[in-house]
mmCIF file of all heavy atoms in Angstrom:
data_model
loop_
_atom_site.group_PDB
_atom_site.id
_atom_site.type_symbol
_atom_site.label_atom_id
_atom_site.label_comp_id
_atom_site.label_asym_id
_atom_site.label_seq_id
_atom_site.Cartn_x
_atom_site.Cartn_y
_atom_site.Cartn_z
ATOM 1 N N PRO A 898 14.409 0.536 -7.247
ATOM 2 C CA PRO A 898 14.585 -0.694 -8.026
ATOM 3 C C PRO A 898 13.844 -0.614 -9.351
ATOM 4 O O PRO A 898 12.780 -0.002 -9.457
ATOM 5 C CB PRO A 898 13.993 -1.774 -7.112
ATOM 6 C CG PRO A 898 13.003 -1.043 -6.263
ATOM 7 C CD PRO A 898 13.581 0.320 -6.037
ATOM 8 N N ALA A 899 14.404 -1.243 -10.368
ATOM 9 C CA ALA A 899 13.788 -1.233 -11.696
ATOM 10 C C ALA A 899 12.560 -2.136 -11.715
ATOM 11 O O ALA A 899 12.490 -3.153 -11.014
ATOM 12 C CB ALA A 899 14.794 -1.702 -12.742
ATOM 13 N N LEU A 900 11.577 -1.774 -12.532
ATOM 14 C CA LEU A 900 10.394 -2.608 -12.694
ATOM 15 C C LEU A 900 10.775 -3.895 -13.407
ATOM 16 O O LEU A 900 11.660 -3.912 -14.269
ATOM 17 C CB LEU A 900 9.320 -1.860 -13.490
ATOM 18 C CG LEU A 900 8.860 -0.527 -12.913
ATOM 19 C CD1 LEU A 900 7.692 0.015 -13.730
ATOM 20 C CD2 LEU A 900 8.471 -0.657 -11.455
ATOM 21 N N GLN A 901 10.094 -4.970 -13.061
ATOM 22 C CA GLN A 901 10.405 -6.283 -13.615
ATOM 23 C C GLN A 901 9.405 -6.617 -14.725
ATOM 24 O O GLN A 901 8.244 -6.945 -14.454
ATOM 25 C CB GLN A 901 10.368 -7.339 -12.513
ATOM 26 C CG GLN A 901 11.397 -7.143 -11.419
ATOM 27 C CD GLN A 901 12.812 -7.229 -11.950
ATOM 28 O OE1 GLN A 901 13.139 -8.094 -12.764
ATOM 29 N NE2 GLN A 901 13.669 -6.326 -11.496
ATOM 30 N N THR A 902 9.826 -6.512 -15.947
ATOM 31 C CA THR A 902 8.922 -6.751 -17.077
ATOM 32 C C THR A 902 8.515 -8.213 -17.206
ATOM 33 O O THR A 902 7.543 -8.520 -17.893
ATOM 34 C CB THR A 902 9.580 -6.304 -18.391
ATOM 35 O OG1 THR A 902 10.834 -6.992 -18.555
ATOM 36 C CG2 THR A 902 9.839 -4.800 -18.372
ATOM 37 N N ARG A 903 9.225 -9.092 -16.553
ATOM 38 C CA ARG A 903 8.896 -10.515 -16.663
ATOM 39 C C ARG A 903 7.746 -10.917 -15.745
ATOM 40 O O ARG A 903 7.207 -12.041 -15.864
ATOM 41 C CB ARG A 903 10.128 -11.361 -16.332
ATOM 42 C CG ARG A 903 10.518 -11.340 -14.867
ATOM 43 C CD ARG A 903 11.745 -12.186 -14.585
ATOM 44 N NE ARG A 903 12.059 -12.233 -13.170
ATOM 45 C CZ ARG A 903 12.740 -11.324 -12.523
ATOM 46 N NH1 ARG A 903 13.175 -10.259 -13.178
ATOM 47 N NH2 ARG A 903 13.010 -11.443 -11.231
ATOM 48 N N LEU A 904 7.353 -10.062 -14.814
ATOM 49 C CA LEU A 904 6.302 -10.413 -13.873
ATOM 50 C C LEU A 904 4.949 -10.451 -14.572
ATOM 51 O O LEU A 904 4.623 -9.582 -15.371
ATOM 52 C CB LEU A 904 6.259 -9.416 -12.718
ATOM 53 C CG LEU A 904 7.465 -9.444 -11.757
ATOM 54 C CD1 LEU A 904 7.378 -8.305 -10.760
ATOM 55 C CD2 LEU A 904 7.534 -10.788 -11.033
ATOM 56 N N ARG A 905 4.156 -11.464 -14.265
ATOM 57 C CA ARG A 905 2.846 -11.638 -14.854
ATOM 58 C C ARG A 905 1.827 -11.971 -13.773
ATOM 59 O O ARG A 905 2.132 -12.676 -12.811
ATOM 60 C CB ARG A 905 2.858 -12.775 -15.891
ATOM 61 C CG ARG A 905 3.807 -12.570 -17.050
ATOM 62 C CD ARG A 905 3.277 -11.526 -18.025
ATOM 63 N NE ARG A 905 4.110 -11.415 -19.215
ATOM 64 C CZ ARG A 905 5.184 -10.638 -19.323
ATOM 65 N NH1 ARG A 905 5.557 -9.893 -18.284
ATOM 66 N NH2 ARG A 905 5.874 -10.588 -20.438
ATOM 67 N N LEU A 906 0.599 -11.475 -13.946
ATOM 68 C CA LEU A 906 -0.468 -11.781 -12.999
ATOM 69 C C LEU A 906 -0.728 -13.274 -12.910
ATOM 70 O O LEU A 906 -1.188 -13.778 -11.875
ATOM 71 C CB LEU A 906 -1.735 -11.027 -13.424
ATOM 72 C CG LEU A 906 -2.936 -11.014 -12.481
ATOM 73 C CD1 LEU A 906 -2.539 -10.583 -11.077
ATOM 74 C CD2 LEU A 906 -4.021 -10.115 -13.032
ATOM 75 N N SER A 907 -0.408 -14.001 -13.963
ATOM 76 C CA SER A 907 -0.606 -15.460 -13.956
ATOM 77 C C SER A 907 0.203 -16.145 -12.860
ATOM 78 O O SER A 907 -0.142 -17.250 -12.439
ATOM 79 C CB SER A 907 -0.242 -16.049 -15.317
ATOM 80 O OG SER A 907 1.101 -15.739 -15.655
ATOM 81 N N SER A 908 1.271 -15.505 -12.373
ATOM 82 C CA SER A 908 2.107 -16.125 -11.344
ATOM 83 C C SER A 908 1.433 -16.141 -9.978
ATOM 84 O O SER A 908 1.847 -16.893 -9.085
ATOM 85 C CB SER A 908 3.451 -15.395 -11.241
ATOM 86 O OG SER A 908 3.261 -14.067 -10.775
ATOM 87 N N VAL A 909 0.399 -15.321 -9.787
ATOM 88 C CA VAL A 909 -0.302 -15.298 -8.504
ATOM 89 C C VAL A 909 -1.776 -15.676 -8.639
ATOM 90 O O VAL A 909 -2.430 -15.963 -7.638
ATOM 91 C CB VAL A 909 -0.200 -13.905 -7.834
ATOM 92 C CG1 VAL A 909 1.249 -13.517 -7.601
ATOM 93 C CG2 VAL A 909 -0.907 -12.838 -8.652
ATOM 94 N N ALA A 910 -2.314 -15.678 -9.864
ATOM 95 C CA ALA A 910 -3.744 -15.941 -10.069
ATOM 96 C C ALA A 910 -4.037 -17.434 -9.968
ATOM 97 O O ALA A 910 -3.205 -18.279 -10.295
ATOM 98 C CB ALA A 910 -4.188 -15.410 -11.426
ATOM 99 N N GLU A 911 -5.236 -17.740 -9.510
ATOM 100 C CA GLU A 911 -5.694 -19.114 -9.421
ATOM 101 C C GLU A 911 -6.645 -19.409 -10.581
ATOM 102 O O GLU A 911 -7.499 -18.591 -10.925
ATOM 103 C CB GLU A 911 -6.414 -19.336 -8.097
ATOM 104 C CG GLU A 911 -5.501 -19.125 -6.880
ATOM 105 C CD GLU A 911 -6.150 -19.660 -5.628
ATOM 106 O OE1 GLU A 911 -7.280 -19.229 -5.323
ATOM 107 O OE2 GLU A 911 -5.539 -20.515 -4.977
ATOM 108 N N ASN A 912 -6.495 -20.585 -11.174
ATOM 109 C CA ASN A 912 -7.374 -20.963 -12.272
ATOM 110 C C ASN A 912 -8.786 -21.259 -11.782
ATOM 111 O O ASN A 912 -9.757 -21.087 -12.505
ATOM 112 C CB ASN A 912 -6.817 -22.182 -13.014
ATOM 113 C CG ASN A 912 -5.804 -21.778 -14.069
ATOM 114 O OD1 ASN A 912 -6.120 -21.017 -14.966
ATOM 115 N ND2 ASN A 912 -4.580 -22.276 -13.944
ATOM 116 N N GLY A 913 -8.875 -21.696 -10.535
ATOM 117 C CA GLY A 913 -10.186 -21.973 -9.980
ATOM 118 C C GLY A 913 -10.850 -20.707 -9.472
ATOM 119 O O GLY A 913 -10.376 -19.596 -9.673
ATOM 120 N N GLY A 914 -11.983 -20.881 -8.806
ATOM 121 C CA GLY A 914 -12.664 -19.737 -8.245
ATOM 122 C C GLY A 914 -14.076 -19.608 -8.771
ATOM 123 O O GLY A 914 -14.538 -20.384 -9.603
ATOM 124 N N ASP A 915 -14.742 -18.597 -8.277
ATOM 125 C CA ASP A 915 -16.151 -18.385 -8.604
ATOM 126 C C ASP A 915 -16.262 -17.508 -9.851
ATOM 127 O O ASP A 915 -16.535 -16.304 -9.778
ATOM 128 C CB ASP A 915 -16.835 -17.721 -7.402
ATOM 129 C CG ASP A 915 -18.343 -17.674 -7.548
ATOM 130 O OD1 ASP A 915 -18.868 -18.377 -8.433
ATOM 131 O OD2 ASP A 915 -18.976 -16.928 -6.781
ATOM 132 N N TRP A 916 -16.044 -18.121 -11.014
ATOM 133 C CA TRP A 916 -16.115 -17.369 -12.265
ATOM 134 C C TRP A 916 -17.551 -16.952 -12.541
ATOM 135 O O TRP A 916 -18.499 -17.682 -12.255
ATOM 136 C CB TRP A 916 -15.578 -18.223 -13.423
ATOM 137 C CG TRP A 916 -14.126 -18.568 -13.257
ATOM 138 C CD1 TRP A 916 -13.611 -19.736 -12.773
ATOM 139 C CD2 TRP A 916 -13.006 -17.714 -13.532
ATOM 140 N NE1 TRP A 916 -12.228 -19.671 -12.734
ATOM 141 C CE2 TRP A 916 -11.830 -18.450 -13.199
ATOM 142 C CE3 TRP A 916 -12.871 -16.421 -14.028
ATOM 143 C CZ2 TRP A 916 -10.553 -17.928 -13.348
ATOM 144 C CZ3 TRP A 916 -11.592 -15.894 -14.173
ATOM 145 C CH2 TRP A 916 -10.453 -16.635 -13.841
ATOM 146 N N TRP A 917 -17.717 -15.793 -13.133
ATOM 147 C CA TRP A 917 -19.047 -15.238 -13.355
ATOM 148 C C TRP A 917 -19.826 -16.043 -14.391
ATOM 149 O O TRP A 917 -19.248 -16.653 -15.298
ATOM 150 C CB TRP A 917 -18.935 -13.790 -13.803
ATOM 151 C CG TRP A 917 -18.408 -12.879 -12.733
ATOM 152 C CD1 TRP A 917 -18.380 -13.125 -11.391
ATOM 153 C CD2 TRP A 917 -17.836 -11.594 -12.911
ATOM 154 N NE1 TRP A 917 -17.824 -12.068 -10.713
ATOM 155 C CE2 TRP A 917 -17.473 -11.103 -11.618
ATOM 156 C CE3 TRP A 917 -17.584 -10.790 -14.032
ATOM 157 C CZ2 TRP A 917 -16.881 -9.866 -11.435
ATOM 158 C CZ3 TRP A 917 -16.999 -9.551 -13.848
ATOM 159 C CH2 TRP A 917 -16.658 -9.088 -12.560
ATOM 160 N N SER A 918 -21.136 -15.983 -14.257
ATOM 161 C CA SER A 918 -22.014 -16.654 -15.207
ATOM 162 C C SER A 918 -21.925 -15.976 -16.573
ATOM 163 O O SER A 918 -21.401 -14.862 -16.707
ATOM 164 C CB SER A 918 -23.459 -16.599 -14.710
ATOM 165 O OG SER A 918 -23.910 -15.247 -14.691
ATOM 166 N N ALA A 919 -22.477 -16.638 -17.583
ATOM 167 C CA ALA A 919 -22.444 -16.089 -18.941
ATOM 168 C C ALA A 919 -23.164 -14.742 -19.015
ATOM 169 O O ALA A 919 -22.708 -13.820 -19.701
ATOM 170 C CB ALA A 919 -23.077 -17.088 -19.912
ATOM 171 N N SER A 920 -24.281 -14.609 -18.291
ATOM 172 C CA SER A 920 -25.018 -13.343 -18.344
ATOM 173 C C SER A 920 -24.242 -12.225 -17.663
ATOM 174 O O SER A 920 -24.208 -11.086 -18.162
ATOM 175 C CB SER A 920 -26.393 -13.512 -17.697
ATOM 176 O OG SER A 920 -26.276 -13.883 -16.336
ATOM 177 N N ARG A 921 -23.608 -12.544 -16.562
ATOM 178 C CA ARG A 921 -22.834 -11.508 -15.874
ATOM 179 C C ARG A 921 -21.598 -11.140 -16.677
ATOM 180 O O ARG A 921 -21.207 -9.970 -16.740
ATOM 181 C CB ARG A 921 -22.439 -11.987 -14.475
ATOM 182 C CG ARG A 921 -21.787 -10.888 -13.658
ATOM 183 C CD ARG A 921 -21.651 -11.270 -12.206
ATOM 184 N NE ARG A 921 -21.182 -10.139 -11.421
ATOM 185 C CZ ARG A 921 -20.989 -10.177 -10.111
ATOM 186 N NH1 ARG A 921 -21.241 -11.285 -9.438
ATOM 187 N NH2 ARG A 921 -20.559 -9.111 -9.463
ATOM 188 N N LEU A 922 -20.960 -12.132 -17.280
ATOM 189 C CA LEU A 922 -19.816 -11.854 -18.144
ATOM 190 C C LEU A 922 -20.251 -10.981 -19.322
ATOM 191 O O LEU A 922 -19.527 -10.053 -19.725
ATOM 192 C CB LEU A 922 -19.211 -13.163 -18.653
ATOM 193 C CG LEU A 922 -18.016 -13.028 -19.598
ATOM 194 C CD1 LEU A 922 -16.838 -12.333 -18.909
ATOM 195 C CD2 LEU A 922 -17.585 -14.410 -20.124
ATOM 196 N N GLY A 923 -21.428 -11.240 -19.851
ATOM 197 C CA GLY A 923 -21.937 -10.421 -20.944
ATOM 198 C C GLY A 923 -22.137 -8.975 -20.529
ATOM 199 O O GLY A 923 -21.795 -8.048 -21.281
ATOM 200 N N SER A 924 -22.667 -8.749 -19.325
ATOM 201 C CA SER A 924 -22.836 -7.380 -18.821
ATOM 202 C C SER A 924 -21.492 -6.698 -18.641
ATOM 203 O O SER A 924 -21.332 -5.502 -18.922
ATOM 204 C CB SER A 924 -23.594 -7.413 -17.493
ATOM 205 O OG SER A 924 -24.884 -7.952 -17.655
ATOM 206 N N PHE A 925 -20.528 -7.465 -18.170
ATOM 207 C CA PHE A 925 -19.154 -6.971 -18.013
ATOM 208 C C PHE A 925 -18.598 -6.487 -19.354
ATOM 209 O O PHE A 925 -18.060 -5.383 -19.473
ATOM 210 C CB PHE A 925 -18.317 -8.111 -17.423
ATOM 211 C CG PHE A 925 -16.824 -7.918 -17.437
ATOM 212 C CD1 PHE A 925 -16.193 -7.166 -16.467
ATOM 213 C CD2 PHE A 925 -16.046 -8.530 -18.415
ATOM 214 C CE1 PHE A 925 -14.816 -7.016 -16.472
ATOM 215 C CE2 PHE A 925 -14.675 -8.391 -18.426
ATOM 216 C CZ PHE A 925 -14.054 -7.626 -17.446
#
Side-chain angles (χ1 to χ4, degrees):
L900 303 186
Q901 297 298 317
T902 57
R903 71 180 184 277
L904 292 173
R905 300 286 186 273
L906 189 51
S907 58
S908 66
V909 301
E911 298 193 304
N912 275 302
D915 190 14
W916 297 99
W917 293 341
S918 65
S920 61
R921 187 169 187 179
L922 179 62
S924 298
F925 168 81

